[in-house]
Amino acid sequence: MLMPSQGVRILVATKPVDFRKGHDGLAALVQSTLAEDPFTGTVFVFRSKRADRLKILFWDGSGLVMVYKRLEENTFTWPAIRDGAMTLNRAQFEALFARLSRSLTRAKFQ
C-alpha cells in the first residue's frame, strides 16, 4: 500500500471530480481549483461522485504519480462537499484510505 511519508502535506479536494481525468487533468484541477502547485510533493486526494473511488496525485521528484482505488463494496467516508480542500495528517489519510469513518472528524479546511 502506498502511504505518504511523515511530514508530507496531504490535501483532499472535497468536491467530486470527473474520474475520466488523468495525470494532466488532475494537475490542472490542482492549479485552477485548489490554487496549488502539483509539482511540490504535496499529496492531492480526489473523490468520485459515487464516493466509492478515489484518485491520489503527487510529484515524486521525477514525474507525476497517480494512484486509483475503487471499493468493491460500500463507499469511502468523505467530508461534506464544499469549495476548497481539506488538510489531513498521515493518520487521517491512512484511515480514509482504509475506509474508517472517524478519519475525517478532526481534519481542517483551508
Side-chain angles (χ1 to χ4, degrees), residues 11 14 19 21 24 28 30 32 37-38 40 44 47 59 62-63 68 83 86 90 95-96:
L11 293 178
T14 60
F19 256 48
K21 291 187 183 302
D24 294 332
V30 167
S32 65
D37 182 353
T40 60
F44 299 97
R47 65 169 287 178
W59 176 257
S62 64
Y68 178 91
D83 287 336
M86 192 170 86
R90 183 177 170 164
L96 169 67

Side-chain angles (χ1 to χ4, degrees), residues 11 21 30 35 42 51 53 56 63 66 69-70 73 76 80 84 86 105:
L11 293 178
K21 291 187 183 302
V30 167
T42 298
R53 294 169 286 159
I56 300 167
M66 185 172 64
K69 181 171 183 176
R70 180 185 71 204
E73 296 180 15
F76 289 100
M86 192 170 86
T105 57

Side-chain angles (χ1 to χ4, degrees), residues 47-67:
R47 65 169 287 178
S48 66
K49 289 180 184 178
R50 291 185 293 185
D52 64 342
R53 294 169 286 159
L54 62 78
K55 281 188 177 181
I56 300 167
L57 183 75
F58 66 95
W59 176 257
D60 73 353
S62 64
L64 283 171
V65 177
M66 185 172 64
V67 178

Side-chain angles (χ1 to χ4, degrees), residues 9-43:
R9 190 167 167 236
I10 304 166
L11 293 178
V12 176
T14 60
K15 283 190 174 180
V17 300
D18 179 351
F19 256 48
R20 295 173 291 183
K21 291 187 183 302
H23 296 75
D24 294 332
L26 292 177
L29 278 177
V30 167
Q31 292 173 321
S32 65
T33 306
L34 304 179
E36 296 282 341
D37 182 353
F39 304 102
T40 60
T42 298
V43 173

